[in-house]
Amino acid sequence: MSPILVSDSTGRRSPLNARVLRPLLGGHVVVRTTSALWRGTLLSCVKDSAWFVIDDVDVVVPLDDLVSVRAA
């Protein structure tokens, strides 16, 4: 599965949102931010952030910081 990215009508990337991430809840994912690339589990996503477990560490990432999230 390719990365989940949201684009507006002009083709510019828009931030990911909770509605787009919901199908991946509970699944193993690959997460890319502007500064990191991780593999983990998506536990929750709300209006402003997503909660992942990566190597037994809880990581909360603001949705604006996510570049892509895809199934692992």
Side-chain angles (χ1 to χ4, degrees), residues 6-66:
V6 179
S7 297
D8 64 16
S9 61
T10 64
R12 290 179 295 171
R13 190 182 69 79
S14 299
L16 292 167
N17 60 52
R19 186 185 62 160
V20 171
L21 293 176
R22 242 175 243 130
L24 298 173
L25 281 173
H28 296 287
V29 293
V30 176
V31 180
R32 182 179 299 276
T33 68
T34 55
S35 61
L37 177 66
W38 308 311
R39 284 183 171 271
T41 303
L42 176 59
L43 291 184
S44 176
C45 52
V46 293
K47 179 181 172 187
D48 297 323
S49 63
W51 174 21
F52 302 92
V53 173
I54 297 157
D55 296 329
D56 293 329
V57 176
D58 291 354
V59 178
V60 177
V61 180
L63 292 182
D64 289 342
D65 291 349
L66 292 173

